Each structure stands twice: as structure tokens, then as C-alpha cells.
């Protein structure tokens, strides 16, 4: 009678972990532990606290925290001010995602074609990225000032004084001014990503297209642009997230005004939470903004990934 073979799978599962391997795992855990503790203290705990505070009427100072359920979220749903801030946020986000990517792609193509002083031009275009949003806001506030701003002074000198407007004091032009100044600051960052994508494209592909009779535009449209789909996905997602939480430029340049013309969700969270001492309501708005960014990011990544496959 044949003896049954032992169950090798069960034997492997029940084999004790060697002492040396347990020691290595312990060392690995000790290396991870400091980062895990810091991440827990500064990310997980504050996030959990924010979720709880969004259901309270806490003023941010007193020790009394009153649970009010969904009252904050109901107020957000019915608030005209929040609706206006959401509209401004979406307008700002769509405009910045499109303009930043177009400007960055144009700059990347331009720098990639330059043979002399390429690094100099790359540094010049990237320099605004190194500025903080506050510094950039002060610079553009001076440039766009109605009385002594450089932009209006140039219009006056060339005989176009009729086009002089209060760029930051007019509800019609304040958002446009913030969008253009933000594009000036951020385009260089995305240019570097597109430039890396351009330089990873083999020259043999464009040479083959040129031999087949394709002109410069056709080479870019049918060869270069489809191969930049991965870079475009990265830049679009980063630009979208950055635009949804823009704060510095608005705080310095317009303070959410004139009126509420440039008030966004991030800025209204700051104004309500710290200006009006309604931390509970502000935290609830922060939760809404978090969910908005999450949903838009997922949809955007799915769409762009699908586009990459199609291209």
C-alpha cells in the first residue's frame, strides 16, 4: 500500500520563521516606525479630527465643542456664497489647466528647438516657479495697479489709454488677472515635464515622418503630440489639484474681491474658519473640497488614461 505524500504546502505554512529573518523584519519595523509615528500624528490624527469637527459648531478657540450633526453641510448646500465660490473655483481650475498646459507645451517645444543657450532659456522660463505665491502676488499687484502699474503705463505711452482699466479692482477683470499671473508663475514647472517627454522621443520617428513627406506641423500632430500623452496626464492632474486649492495669489492680490468676484473654496474656508471664527463650518467645507478634488481627480485620470490608449 502506497504511503500518502506529505502535504508540502501545509508544511511550508507551518514552518517557523528563522530567527535571522525575524531579526531583519524587526530592524525594518524600527526604521519605518519614526516615519509612521510622524505620519500618524500629522496626517491621520488631524484628518480624523477634521472629520469629527465638521459635525460640530466649534469656534476654534473655546474648549466647548457642540455636536450639531449635518447642520454645517446643510448650510453649505443652501449657501449662495458657497455656490459663488464653487463657481469661481471651477472657472479658475478649467482656465488654469488649459492655459498652463498650452503655455508649458509651447515653451517646451521652443526650448527643445533651441540649439544655443538652451539651459539659459530653460532657467529663465523656470525662474517664476521658484517664487512663492505671496511674492508673485505682490509683484503682479504692482504691475497691474491702475495709477502707477507698468501695464497701464505702457498702454498710456503707446496711445492706448482707453484700454486702461483697474485690473484688480474690477469684477470683470480681477479673475482674468489672477489666471494670467498664475499661468506666468506655473507654466515653467510643467514645461520641464513636457521637455523631459520631448527628449525621450526618438529622433528616428520624426525623421521617418519627414522622409514620408510630413511637414513640421504634421510631425508634431501625428508623432510628437500622441507620444506626450503620459506627460500631459501628469501635468493636467497636477495643474488641476493646484488650481482647486489656490490661495496665496488671491489673498495677496484681491482678498477675494472686489465683492466676492474672486472668492474660491479655499479662500472662503480661511475667511470663515479664521476670520469669522467658525472652525466647524470651515472644516466641513474643507471636507467638501477634499471630496471634490478626489472625484475630479479620479474622473480626470480615467479620461486621460483612456486617451493615452487611444493615441
Amino acid at each position: 500500500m502506497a504511503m500518502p505524500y506529505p502535504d508540502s504546502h501545509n508544511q511550508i505554512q507551518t514552518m517557523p520563521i528563522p530567527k535571522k529573518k525575524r531579526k531583519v523584519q524587526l530592524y525594518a519595523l524600527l526604521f519605518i516606525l519614526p516615519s509612521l509615528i510622524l505620519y500618524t500624528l500629522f496626517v491621520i490624527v488631524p484628518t480624523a479630527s477634521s472629520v469629527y469637527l465638521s459635525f460640530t459648531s466649534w469656534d476654534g478657540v473655546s474648549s466647548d465643542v457642540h455636536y450639531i450633526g449635518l447642520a454645517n453641510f446643510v448650510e453649505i448646500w443652501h449657501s449662495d456664497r458657497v455656490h459663488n465660490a464653487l463657481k469661481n473655483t471651477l472657472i479658475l481650475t478649467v482656465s488654469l489647466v488649459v492655459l498652463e498646459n498650452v503655455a508649458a507645451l509651447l515653451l517646451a517645444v521652443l526650448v527643445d528647438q533651441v540649439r544655443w543657450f538652451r539651459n539659459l532659456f530653460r532657467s529663465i522660463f523656470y525662474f517664476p516657479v521658484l517664487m512663492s505665491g505671496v511674492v508673485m502676488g505682490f509683484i503682479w499687484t504692482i504691475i497691474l495697479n491702475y495709477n502707477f502699474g507698468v501695464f497701464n503705463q505702457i498702454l498710456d505711452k503707446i496711445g492706448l489709454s482707453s484700454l486702461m482699466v483697474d485690473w484688480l479692482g474690477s469684477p470683470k477683470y480681477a479673475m482674468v488677472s489672477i489666471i494670467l499671473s498664475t499661468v506666468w508663475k506655473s507654466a515653467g514647472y510643467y514645461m520641464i515635464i513636457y521637455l523631459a517627454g520631448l527628449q525621450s522621443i526618438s529622433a528616428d520617428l520624426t525623421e521617418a515622418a519627414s522622409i514620408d513627406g510630413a511637414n513640421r506641423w504634421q510631425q508634431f500632430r501625428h508623432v510628437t503630440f500622441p507620444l506626450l500623452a503620459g506627460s500631459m496626464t501628469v501635468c493636467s492632474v497636477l495643474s488641476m489639484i493646484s488650481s482647486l486649492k489656490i490661495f496665496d495669489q488671491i489673498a495677496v492680490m484681491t482678498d477675494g474681491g472686489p465683492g466676492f468676484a474672486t472668492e474660491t473654496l479655499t479662500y472662503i474656508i480661511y475667511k470663515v474658519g479664521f476670520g469669522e471664527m467658525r472652525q466647524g463650518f470651515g472644516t466641513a467645507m474643507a471636507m467638501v473640497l477634499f471630496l471634490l478634488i478626489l472625484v475630479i481627480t479620479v474622473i480626470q485620470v480615467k479620461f486621460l488614461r483612456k486617451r493615452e490608449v487611444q493615441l
Side-chain angles (χ1 to χ4, degrees):
M1 183 176 179
M3 296 295 292
Y5 288 101
D7 191 345
S8 58
H9 180 70
N10 291 335
Q11 283 187 350
I12 293 174
Q13 286 185 337
T14 57
M15 286 178 60
I17 300 175
K19 185 176 180 181
K20 185 176 180 181
K21 189 173 183 180
R22 288 202 304 268
K23 190 175 181 180
V24 171
Q25 291 176 344
L26 179 61
Y27 281 131
L29 180 62
L30 291 176
F31 277 110
I32 295 172
L33 193 59
S35 299
L36 182 61
I37 292 173
L38 291 175
Y39 185 80
T40 302
L41 290 176
F42 293 101
V43 177
I44 297 178
V45 172
T47 302
S49 299
S50 296
V51 173
Y52 170 70
L53 292 174
S54 65
F55 297 99
T56 68
S57 60
W58 186 47
D59 61 3
V61 178
S62 66
S63 58
D64 295 330
V65 180
H66 300 288
Y67 179 81
I68 58 174
L70 296 174
N72 287 329
F73 296 96
V74 172
E75 183 178 350
I76 290 171
W77 180 263
H78 294 288
S79 174
D80 292 335
R81 185 182 179 186
V82 175
H83 296 166
N84 177 71
L86 176 61
K87 181 193 73 173
N88 291 338
T89 301
L90 294 178
I91 292 173
L92 190 67
T93 300
V94 172
S95 301
L96 287 178
V97 169
V98 173
L99 294 178
E100 284 178 344
N101 280 274
V102 170
L105 183 57
L106 291 176
L107 290 176
V109 172
L110 177 63
V111 172
D112 190 54
Q113 297 297 320
V114 173
R115 294 187 177 183
W116 300 95
F117 306 109
R118 177 180 295 182
N119 290 334
L120 175 63
F121 285 107
R122 187 185 305 178
S123 300
I124 291 173
F125 293 143
Y126 188 78
F127 179 74
V129 180
L130 302 178
M131 297 183 183
S132 69
V134 174
V135 173
M136 185 277 287
F138 279 119
I139 291 174
W140 278 93
T141 299
I142 296 172
I143 292 174
L144 298 174
N145 185 275
Y146 179 77
N147 297 314
F148 56 83
V150 175
F151 197 73
N152 278 348
Q153 291 295 323
I154 292 175
L155 291 176
D156 185 45
K157 295 296 183 183
I158 62 177
L160 297 176
S161 56
S162 59
L163 299 179
M164 294 172 56
V165 296
D166 189 0
W167 298 99
L168 298 177
S170 169
K172 185 177 179 181
Y173 297 105
M175 183 64 77
V176 175
S177 301
I178 290 176
I179 290 172
L180 294 180
S181 60
T182 305
V183 170
W184 173 83
K185 180 185 185 302
S186 305
Y189 176 80
Y190 304 112
M191 175 199 71
I192 298 297
I193 300 176
Y194 280 119
L195 190 59
L198 285 171
Q199 293 178 349
S200 67
I201 298 174
S202 175
D204 296 338
L205 297 174
T206 54
E207 288 178 6
S210 178
I211 293 173
D212 290 338
N215 56 33
R216 287 289 185 90
W217 166 249
Q218 290 171 331
Q219 292 175 31
F220 177 80
R221 171 65 185 86
H222 298 288
V223 178
T224 305
F225 185 71
L227 293 175
L228 289 175
S231 300
M232 184 170 294
T233 298
V234 174
C235 291
S236 298
V237 172
L238 291 177
S239 177
M240 186 274 300
I241 295 174
S242 176
S243 302
L244 283 172
K245 58 188 185 65
I246 187 172
F247 175 80
D248 297 351
Q249 295 91 315
I250 295 175
V252 174
M253 295 175 66
T254 63
D255 194 28
F260 301 103
T262 58
E263 195 172 58
T264 59
L265 287 177
T266 51
Y267 197 70
I268 198 176
I269 289 171
Y270 161 74
K271 294 286 283 187
V272 170
F274 295 96
E276 301 175 12
M277 303 303 292
R278 299 181 64 195
Q279 284 286 346
F281 184 73
T283 306
M285 288 194 59
M287 292 295 103
V288 172
L289 179 61
F290 167 75
L291 294 176
L292 179 65
I293 293 176
L294 181 63
V295 170
I296 294 178
T297 301
V298 170
I299 295 173
Q300 187 180 28
V301 170
K302 275 193 172 183
F303 172 78
L304 292 174
R305 290 297 185 189
K306 184 178 179 181
R307 176 182 171 276
E308 288 181 28
V309 174
Q310 291 174 347
L311 291 176

